[in-house]
Structures are given as structure tokens and as C-alpha cells.
Amino acid sequence: MPSAAQAPAMVPPIIFRAGNEDLASALASAKQTGERVRLDDATTETSEYFATPGGDVVGVISSGMVRFQRNGTWVPIDLTLRRHADGSVAPAEHPDSLRLSGARTTGSTDLASLGGGVDKVTMGWQGKLPEPRLEGSKATYPEVRPGVDLVVQATPTGFEQFTVLKSAAAAKRITEIALPLTGRGVDSASEDKHGRVRVRGADGDRSAFMPTPLMWDSAKNRPPTRQVAVDVANASASASSAEPAVTLRLKPDRKWLNDPKTVYPVVIDPQITRLTTTGTVTVMKGYPTAWVDADSIFVGAWDSSLIARSFVTWDATALRGQKIKSAKVNFASPFASSCEPRPWEIWTTDAPSSASSWDSQPAWRYKESTSTSTTCADSWVSGDATNFFQRAATGNVSTPTMGLRASSETDYTQYKQFWSRNSGELAKVPYVEVTYANPTTGPGVSSTAYREEYWAGNAGVAGSFTFTQPTGLKAAAFLYGLNVNPPTTVVTATTSGTATVNVTPATTGVQTLYVRSRDSAGVLSAVTAYQFGVGDGVNAIGYRPERTMTAAEITAQAQLVPLAKQFLQNRANEITGHYDNTAGIPMWNSEASLAVVSAAELQYEGDTLLMDNLDYEVSTVSSDTGMVQISGNQANLWLREETSLAMPSDDAETAYGHSADRAFVFVRSGTTWALADQRLVALGAVAPLTEPMGEFEPVLDGLMPEGEPAPEPGGEIDYNFGTTEPTTDEPATEEPAESSSDGSDPIWDGEKVDGEFSESSGFTTAGYSTAAAKSSGMVLAGTIPKGLCYSCMVTYARKWAMGFNPGYRITKVKDKNGKKVEADCTNFVSQVMQAGKWKEDSGWYQSNGNWWYTKANQTWTWGGANNFSKFVPKRTQNISSIWKAGPGDIIQADWTGDGTIDHTMVVTKTDQYDVYVTGHTNAIKDKPMSKITRDARARNSRVKFYAYRT
């Protein structure tokens, strides 16, 4: 192994304090002495923070645990192994009481143990153990089998065990390695498909973890390219058995061991750790599993077959909200393929896991910097991490992940090795030194009435808010102000550094409560900006206004429309199965929690469609330019979405599409906009496929009210939302029978064209007799009006499904708030019927027995869903089941089962699986009726559907 890398100078001398040192006092001490003063309250297992003479704060953050608390005192970890009087071996200072075996002459013994009491986990060894040779953090037990050494290395969170097969002859004697696990913390073990093992105690909690065991040879490569996973099996003994609770059996790859390319010695490596998080990961091209928390990480290309990238996770909790002045990351580097400066890059990425691999990497989000720092002398290299930690601080990210990669992955001189947090020597653990300006820590703010980044309450409704002093600052008072910054209203703090006040919002919308603390010396903390929503969020912003945007709104439009489209694209991707699309959209807490539920609903929807042979794989989302309206830190965005889903075959006949109006509320924090609320503007009753069921509330098409005056020529008719039947002198018409929507009914698979069934284009009536057709609900030529053009109906419906024919007016109704909204479903179907050669019936425009449209006026039956249902029996035949409907037929819905028809659609396609409809409000094209019926019943079990043979 290379010698220990020499760490660069970390920090100047420090004044340590036995008690808590608040920031103001520490800064004063630092200024007076000219030396750094540690902030004891801010110290953690990985981080220390210091007040500086210049008035800033410096943090030294290690990538792994370097200290632990004992009796309230921080103790540096020291992994140097020492012998004890009883013959056992242990590190000088270990956070989990690691203990290794000394020499043992019995047939089996405990090799290494972690913890004590109910958490104790012990790994055994079957066979005698000689006296170990100690070297730093390693204990070597020579010749435990002929030609086999056993090595145990202490790590800050556990231990790593190596079985060293020194020759091919020794390897032939090893068919498996049995490792019994005992202790009160061991009750069972489970193995996943990657060979990772989780050990659990009797309470079911995880007590230890073993990453995928690996073995590698001694070929002169860095890293060892001849490496394979080791098969692992576990057997759990019964409670009454005298056998160990769990025995792990490692089975080396015999073929690989016998391969002439294998260079001995060969090392087999299982690792036992308490860690529940993944700190460092290296992924290698061509390797099915990642190297998780190994002693080294790698970047760059060794050759064309071996390319490495690595990920390091940091604890940046104390940096949240801070202004980062500088950050320098340091890695001890034992090897590089070139001694000359070669570039490597620092990125912000998503978090890795033990399941990461080259083919399943965390997303690479932002390139933060490039460093050329290189060494081949087993010393330190560094890079600028200022942008990386500032991004985390601004985004309030507690554990950001740093991605490391070579600038060129075809240049073999850029390959490098760095020691990781699991290095056996703490002096090699990666660390970063961060400097941030003071003061940038604000007080904590909480409220149960108005939770941060949630919508609640109303204007005039008071809420209670509690303030807590910042870490390292002792508060004597707090200053606060609602939408006033800097805040000026003063409240005295309690002796514990808290205060509670009542605040009453005067208006609805986004509010910001600004709070800062003040200590007894008058030193002020940073200001905390606590954002919350008052009222009903997006539901309170109304409909899209017709107005001219300001210059600031036009600037915001360029930022907000792409965010909204990405939000909608992510939803579409949930349907098409692209769950790995995690393009970041800043969100309020309320919207982020809702997004998790919505994603699950849409993934279920995609799976359901797949079972119906609707394998949508490609999604496209576009929109208009939108309208933005800004008030303070709140921006309201309205836009019209156009979304399409397509099959892998790219068959236009199988494509799905919809258009819908959307409303969004974004909230500004600094220069960042976060999505705070959104909804589908409820223009109609059929939800798009990409709309989660829990977020859709339909607006129903109502009746034309009695006495509605005829519009002026060229004017726009308004359909008033209501349930009152129009009074006419027309004879009563028979109410249609409800059509069955039982999925077991036969599905009609013919196609009507120009009044006849077509026997071309793959559709045929062969095998159907007239009697059979009638009994199944089919209507053959001669039973429907001659001269109708069903192909014309379908063509027109598909052409104008996603837009409006400018030759017709758009039908509007008044919603529950009295606002005129588009409700165009029946108007659209009437246009379809007219395109299919339906003849007009002249007469009084309010009569349910008439149906016509002119440039000046139209009948109520033309655009009112319920009125149209009174006219339809005059032209059609009722179909007993919606599944027997064919292209050109009409389907209507009574969403609430109250006897009033609310929505009208036209059938544009059928196949052996489903009936597909097209319509407006919201715009849908070839949407499966199975989806519509399922969603409708989930919202109201009383829903009814009616189908008509045209």
C-alpha cells in the first residue's frame, strides 16, 4: 500500500471552549486574540466551525465520520490497532467499540465484533487463528489455511475483512468461506439481487450492512480491472437451534479463479458497516455493480474498457442559507496516470445509492468547476467547490452530492485515484474548507396554523408563530415583520431563546414573515424569510386575464413557462414509464409532497394502460406563450398545454393527445422561482390521461336556461350553468335508457362509412348475420339514415380535436363563481354531426326538437349537453352498451347521476380492446372509454353513460 499522504495545513491554532460559545462572543474572542475560535454547538461527527478574526465563519467538513461523542466530549477517531491484556485487539478510539480477536487455538472463534448490548454484531471465523500482525488499522492473521491469509481492517463505521488467496493451489482448497454472525443485534439477514446483505435484529431494525462482496487479483492495474462479484448466500437458524443466527457463505467464482489471466494473490472482500447512508460511490463502465464506500474512489479512463466516475456526499446542514465566500475541496491522491496537471471536474449530482452503476448513474445536474490539480507523489489535490456549496446553501440542501469525473474520458492521462472516507487512515479522508460571511444564520420560525410553504387560513385569520434562536447565537429579542424587510416589530425572547407571536394576514396570496434575532450586545442575526400561502392558492387566482404584461412579467415568463412545461413533461413521462426523468423543478413543500402522490397515481395509470395494450412510450409537451401576472413575490401563470402520447410503432392511429388550460402559482425567493400550486383549469369533465385523479374537479355543462335572450347577430351565446329544464311547447320525448358500461359486453369492431359498413381497411362484417348483428347491438345498413358520412365525422373530429374551427363560435357557460368559461363539448359534437351530413331542423331556437346553427344564432340543442340529449332520440337509436358504439356514434355522460346530461363525446375509433372517443372541454383525441369510465366512477359511483347509434 502507498504510504500515508501528508495532509495540508488545516487551520491555525484554535481556542477551545469547554462550554457553548455563541457566535457573537466567538467572533469577539477571535478578533481580540487574532486566532480562530471553535463553535462547539456547531460541531458534528464530520464538521467543525470556527469564528475568524476577520468576522467570517470557516467550516472544515470531512466526507466521513472523524470524531464521536463520549460523555459529552468530542473524541477524534483513532483506528490504530492496539493489543489488550486479554489478547484481543482494538482501535485506540472507535465510535462503535470495534474489537478483533487475538490468537485462538479453538476450532471456531469470534473474529470481530461491533457495539454492545442489543446492538452487538459479531462475525466469527471457523478455524484457528494465529497471533495477528498489526500495521496501523490492519490486523493480518497469516496462514489461517495453507496459502491463505486473513486480514481485518478497521474503518470508522465498522470493519473490512479480506481473505487473501496467495496461490492457485490455495484457491483450489477454498470452495466457500463461511462467516457466522451472532449477537443480540443479529436475528435475520436478507440479500438483494445485487448481493448486498442487510442484517436485522429481533426488532426488525437494521443492525449492519454488507455491500456486494468483491474479489480481485494482483494484475498491475489501478484500479484492479480483473474484479468480479462474489456469490453470497445466507442461512438463518431457527430460534431453538444451537447454530449461529445467520451464516453468510461466500462462494468465489471458480472459473475466474482458474482463468490463466488471474494473477495471484487474489483478495476476497466482504465489509461490515453500521452505515445507513451511502457516502462514496464509484461506477465503472462495464461493471454491473458500483464500488460502495470502498477505501478509494476513481475518475477518468484507465483504458478504453475501464472508465470511472465517482460521487461523494457531504454534510452541509450548517451551510443552508449562508453566503459562501469560498470553498476548497481536498483529496489525498495515491496515484495518477500522469504527473502533469490534468483536468477533472466537480459537478452537482443527484444522490447515489448502493444500487448505482455505470448504466444507472445519479443525474449530473450542474458543472461547478474544473481543476487541474494533479499528483503522482501520494499527496493532496484540490478543487474549487464554491459554486457547489453555494448551490446547496441556496437550495437548503443538507446532504449535497458532489460528482467527480475527468474532463475527457478518452484521454488516458486524466485517470486519478483518491482515498475515500473509508480509508484506513483518517488523515486521508477527503475534506473541504468553507468560508462564509457572517451573519448568515437566521432564527427558526414555525407555525401550525400557517405551515411554511403550504396554503392555509384566510385574510383576517390570525396564526401563531414561534421563533427559536439560531445555532451559536443567544437571542435576547426577535424582530419580525409580515412582508416588511428589514423587520422592526420587537418581541422579547424567553431565557431559552424563544418567542411566540400572533400574526394576522390582511390579504390572501403569498406572504413572507421576516424574522431576525438580537443578542444582549445588540448583534443582529441574519434575516429568516418564512414564506406561506394564505387562502386557496391557485383556485383563488381566477381565469386567464386579457391584459398587457409588464417588462418584469415578460422576463419572468421566459423562466416560468419552461418550468411549467417541464412539470407537465414529467407527468407525461410517468405515464410512458420514464421514471428516471427527475429534471429538477423548485417546489414548495406542499407541492412537493403532492407530487410524490401524483407520480404514484400516474405510474399506476401507465401500468393500467399497458395492461390494456396501450404501450405509450413517447411523450411530447408543448404550450402557448402563456400569460404572467406578478404581485410581490407571487407570479400567476396561465397557459394552454398540448400533450401527445405515442406508441413505439409511431402509428398515428394509436396516438393520444389532449389540450388543456392550466394555471400555476410560482413564488420567488431571491432569484429562484418555486412552484407553489397548480391546477387544471376545469373547462370540462374529462380529465387528460396525464392528470392525477386526485387533482381533477370537473365543471359540468349545464342547461340553456328558460328565457335566455337570443344573441345579437355575430354575438356570443352564453350557456348559463344550471339544472332548470327549458319550458317549451314541444311534445315530451322518451328518456333514453342508460347504456351499460360493463367491460364484459362485446365490443363492436365494424366501421360505418357513408351509411354502410365498410369491408375494407381491415374492417369487415363477414360472419355477422343481420339477426346476430341486431342482437349484439350492431345496426346494419338500412337501419340508419342514408347519405350520412361517418368517415367525414371521424376526419373532422380528429382534425379539430386539439383546437377550434374558426368558422364556429366557442360555447361558454357560467361556472359556480359566475365566470364565463369555455364548455364546448356539445358544440363540437354538433359540428362533427354536421360534417357527417346531419340535416338541420329549423324552428324556435329554445326548442329541444330543433337543431341548427347560423352566423347569428343557434339552438340550445346545438351546444347544451342536456338539451342535445332531448334532440338525439329524434335522429338516433339508443345502444344498450357503450362498448357496442362505433365510429361516428355519440356517447353522453351524467357525471353525478342526477338525471342531467353533463358531457358529450363522439366515437372516433374502436378495436378489440376498447372504444375511443374525441371531444372538447378538455380537448381529447381517441381517449379510451375504459379510462374515462374508471376515473369517473372513482369520483362518483352514480355516474351514468348513454350511447346513441347515429
Side-chain angles (χ1 to χ4, degrees):
M1 295 289 291
S3 60
Q6 297 300 309
M10 300 276 281
V11 293
I14 300 163
I15 300 174
F16 290 97
R17 303 288 177 178
N20 292 334
E21 188 78 43
D22 67 62
L23 179 56
S25 300
L27 287 168
S29 296
K31 184 176 182 180
Q32 181 179 8
T33 63
E35 297 181 353
R36 298 184 181 185
V37 177
R38 187 173 71 180
L39 303 172
D40 286 354
D41 276 357
T43 301
T44 70
E45 294 173 339
T46 60
S47 308
E48 287 182 306
Y49 292 88
F50 308 91
T52 68
D56 294 327
V57 176
V58 172
V60 179
I61 307 171
S62 299
S63 65
M65 182 189 295
V66 293
R67 65 186 66 82
F68 64 99
Q69 274 193 317
R70 179 191 294 143
N71 300 325
T73 301
W74 287 106
V75 178
I77 295 175
D78 185 349
L79 299 180
T80 304
L81 295 178
R82 297 176 179 174
R83 301 184 195 276
H84 289 250
D86 62 357
S88 65
V89 174
E93 298 289 353
H94 193 275
D96 206 11
S97 303
L98 174 64
R99 186 152 305 250
L100 310 182
S101 175
R104 293 290 185 268
T105 58
T106 57
S108 62
T109 186
D110 295 343
L111 175 62
S113 66
L114 282 175
V118 296
D119 295 323
K120 186 172 183 179
V121 175
T122 300
M123 176 181 283
W125 178 260
Q126 294 182 339
K128 300 177 182 180
L129 288 174
E131 190 66 30
R133 297 194 306 266
L134 305 184
E135 182 182 0
S137 59
K138 284 186 177 181
T140 301
Y141 302 84
E143 295 293 314
V144 293
R145 303 280 193 278
V148 178
D149 288 349
L150 180 63
V151 179
V152 180
Q153 180 167 12
T155 68
T157 58
F159 62 91
E160 197 164 6
Q161 184 251 22
F162 306 93
T163 302
V164 182
L165 310 181
K166 294 187 283 187
S167 66
K172 292 179 179 179
R173 302 185 188 100
I174 302 296
T175 57
E176 72 172 22
I177 300 171
L179 301 173
L181 298 181
T182 58
R184 294 177 65 184
V186 180
D187 182 72
S188 63
S190 59
E191 177 193 1
D192 66 18
K193 64 181 180 180
H194 298 290
R196 301 184 297 264
V197 176
R198 291 165 175 81
V199 180
R200 301 185 185 277
D203 57 3
D205 291 339
R206 195 175 93 176
S207 58
F209 174 70
M210 184 175 76
T212 305
L214 301 171
M215 64 180 183
W216 59 89
D217 71 355
S218 299
K220 301 300 182 181
N221 293 325
R222 289 174 178 266
T225 55
R226 286 194 46 72
Q227 173 176 275
V228 295
V230 179
D231 183 29
V232 59
N234 76 85
S236 299
S238 64
S240 60
S241 173
E243 296 295 319
V246 172
T247 298
L248 302 179
R249 300 186 184 277
L250 307 184
K251 299 180 179 180
D253 187 328
R254 180 59 52 189
K255 182 178 179 181
W256 188 86
L257 290 174
N258 293 335
D259 191 327
K261 296 179 182 178
T262 300
V263 179
Y264 285 87
V266 165
V267 180
I268 302 173
D269 165 37
Q271 178 187 157
I272 295 291
T273 178
R274 295 284 199 186
L275 286 174
T276 58
T277 59
T278 301
T280 58
V281 171
T282 294
V283 295
M284 286 279 185
K285 184 178 181 181
Y287 283 75
T289 57
W291 297 355
V292 179
D293 284 322
D295 62 359
S296 298
I297 57 177
F298 302 87
V299 297
W302 174 260
D303 55 30
S304 61
S305 64
L306 194 152
I307 304 173
R309 297 176 180 175
S310 292
F311 306 89
V312 181
T313 300
W314 302 88
D315 179 8
T317 304
L319 303 179
R320 293 180 300 179
Q322 307 291 1
K323 173 60 178 175
I324 307 301
K325 299 180 71 172
S326 66
K328 179 182 177 183
V329 65
N330 302 277
F331 294 97
S333 177
F335 179 81
S337 57
S338 172
C339 298
E340 299 299 319
R342 292 292 185 268
W344 49 282
E345 298 172 354
I346 294 174
W347 286 66
T348 291
T349 72
D350 287 354
S353 72
S354 55
S356 297
S357 67
W358 183 266
D359 294 329
S360 181
Q361 298 182 39
W364 294 76
R365 296 298 183 193
Y366 306 100
K367 179 181 174 181
E368 307 293 11
S369 67
T370 300
S371 173
T372 59
S373 180
T374 306
T375 181
C376 56
D378 195 12
S379 59
W380 290 80
V381 299
S382 62
D384 184 357
T386 306
N387 290 343
F388 173 83
F389 282 100
Q390 184 61 72
R391 189 179 304 279
T394 302
N396 288 319
V397 179
S398 298
T399 53
T401 296
M402 177 183 290
L404 305 172
R405 60 196 289 180
S407 293
S408 170
E409 294 179 332
T410 58
D411 182 353
Y412 305 153
T413 67
Q414 295 184 20
Y415 175 83
K416 293 177 177 65
Q417 176 186 1
F418 303 145
W419 293 118
S420 81
R421 73 171 182 175
N422 239 23
S423 166
E425 298 181 46
L426 271 297
K428 299 178 183 178
V429 172
Y431 74 95
V432 64
E433 186 167 331
V434 183
T435 301
Y436 59 87
N438 170 71
T440 54
T441 302
V445 182
S446 63
S447 173
T448 57
Y450 291 105
R451 296 166 62 194
E452 186 174 18
E453 297 185 350
Y454 277 83
W455 296 90
N458 211 335
V461 177
S464 175
F465 293 80
T466 299
F467 310 145
T468 56
Q469 62 188 12
T471 300
L473 289 172
K474 184 161 183 62
F478 296 93
L479 291 79
Y480 67 96
L482 184 62
N483 303 316
V484 176
N485 189 27
T488 56
T489 304
V490 180
V491 59
T492 302
T494 65
T495 55
S496 59
T498 66
T500 299
V501 299
N502 285 327
V503 176
T504 304
T507 61
T508 59
V510 174
Q511 313 285 323
T512 304
L513 182 62
Y514 296 98
V515 185
R516 71 192 318 176
S517 67
R518 184 175 64 196
D519 68 8
S520 56
V523 176
L524 294 172
S525 74
V527 175
T528 295
Y530 181 96
Q531 289 185 325
F532 59 97
V534 176
D536 203 16
V538 73
N539 293 321
I541 71 172
Y543 295 92
R544 182 170 181 158
E546 297 298 329
R547 55 184 294 274
T548 300
M549 290 187 294
T550 66
E553 289 168 343
I554 293 173
T555 299
Q557 180 186 41
Q559 299 173 273
L560 301 182
V561 171
L563 288 175
K565 288 169 64 176
Q566 185 63 63
F567 173 84
L568 298 171
Q569 182 67 66
N570 287 352
R571 283 193 165 184
N573 288 346
E574 299 292 348
I575 293 288
T576 56
H578 300 295
Y579 305 153
D580 59 339
N581 187 302
T582 54
I585 301 172
M587 291 184 179
W588 262 22
N589 295 329
S590 56
E591 191 61 30
S593 59
L594 181 62
V596 174
V597 177
S598 298
E601 287 186 7
L602 291 172
Q603 290 175 22
Y604 173 80
E605 179 64 38
D607 293 341
T608 303
L609 290 169
L610 186 60
M611 289 188 291
D612 292 337
N613 290 318
L614 294 173
D615 184 15
Y616 295 121
E617 285 193 358
V618 181
S619 59
T620 304
V621 175
S622 60
S623 76
D624 63 4
T625 56
M627 165 64 69
V628 174
Q629 189 173 45
I630 295 178
S631 175
N633 288 324
Q634 177 174 333
N636 303 330
L637 168 66
W638 297 266
L639 57 75
R640 167 150 286 201
E641 162 202 8
E642 302 283 345
T643 294
S644 62
L645 307 177
M647 302 284 200
S649 62
D650 198 28
D651 181 0
E653 290 297 312
T654 64
Y656 162 83
H658 71 255
S659 65
D661 285 345
R662 298 273 180 178
F664 298 83
V665 173
F666 288 90
V667 178
R668 178 170 46 199
S669 178
T671 59
T672 300
W673 289 100
L675 178 60
D677 203 4
Q678 56 77 34
R679 71 178 172 97
L680 176 73
V681 177
L683 301 182
V686 178
L689 277 178
T690 58
E691 187 71 11
M693 184 182 301
E695 296 187 25
F696 181 73
E697 294 182 3
V699 169
L700 308 180
D701 289 344
L703 298 173
M704 296 282 196
E706 180 180 4
E708 178 78 2
E712 295 295 326
E716 190 176 70
I717 192 166
D718 287 332
Y719 291 176
N720 190 22
F721 183 83
T723 58
T724 305
E725 293 280 345
T727 302
T728 73
D729 295 328
E730 299 296 315
T733 57
E734 182 180 352
E735 289 291 332
E738 180 190 359
S739 300
S740 166
S741 56
D742 183 353
S744 64
D745 286 339
I747 298 175
W748 178 77
D749 62 356
E751 183 175 20
K752 300 172 295 184
V753 178
D754 303 335
E756 303 289 337
F757 281 95
S758 167
E759 296 189 5
S760 60
S761 303
F763 295 92
T764 178
T765 57
Y768 286 95
S769 67
T770 301
K774 289 181 177 179
S775 67
S776 67
M778 296 172 61
V779 181
L780 298 179
T783 63
I784 52 179
K786 293 290 186 180
L788 297 186
C789 179
Y790 297 101
S791 60
C792 300
M793 295 178 184
V794 172
T795 299
Y796 183 95
R798 287 179 172 164
K799 178 179 180 180
W800 296 107
M802 313 312 292
F804 298 101
N805 185 340
Y808 291 89
R809 292 180 293 275
I810 299 173
T811 304
K812 292 191 175 183
V813 301
K814 293 179 182 177
D815 69 1
K816 60 184 178 181
N817 299 316
K819 178 74 176 182
K820 294 178 181 179
V821 296
E822 295 168 5
D824 200 58
C825 66
T826 306
N827 177 34
F828 175 77
V829 172
S830 286
Q831 296 172 33
V832 171
M833 295 300 105
Q834 190 173 67
K837 312 303 183 185
W838 263 28
K839 298 185 183 300
E840 295 185 352
D841 279 305
S842 60
W844 188 39
Y845 76 96
Q846 292 187 17
S847 169
N848 288 335
N850 302 326
W851 178 82
W852 50 263
Y853 180 99
T854 69
K855 292 182 178 180
N857 202 355
Q858 66 202 46
T859 58
W860 285 2
T861 58
W862 182 276
N866 200 68
N867 302 87
F868 187 72
S869 73
K870 308 295 185 182
F871 174 79
V872 165
K874 185 175 180 179
R875 291 286 183 89
T876 66
Q877 294 182 5
N878 185 237
I879 306 175
S880 62
S881 169
I882 61 173
W883 308 117
K884 297 172 183 177
D889 289 343
I890 296 168
I891 294 180
Q892 291 195 298
D894 173 2
W895 300 118
T896 59
D898 63 357
T900 299
I901 299 300
D902 304 306
H903 194 68
T904 310
M905 302 164 282
V906 62
V907 178
T908 47
K909 175 185 162 186
T910 64
D911 60 23
Q912 60 179 322
Y913 304 110
D914 219 321
V915 173
Y916 304 83
V917 294
T918 296
H920 276 192
T921 332
N922 294 300
I924 57 172
K925 179 181 177 182
D926 292 339
K927 181 163 183 174
M929 276 302 298
S930 59
K931 159 69 175 172
I932 295 173
T933 57
R934 183 171 62 249
D935 287 359
R937 286 198 171 86
R939 298 183 183 102
N940 194 318
S941 61
R942 298 174 58 197
V943 64
K944 296 179 180 180
F945 293 94
Y946 302 89
Y948 304 95
R949 172 76 12 88
T950 58

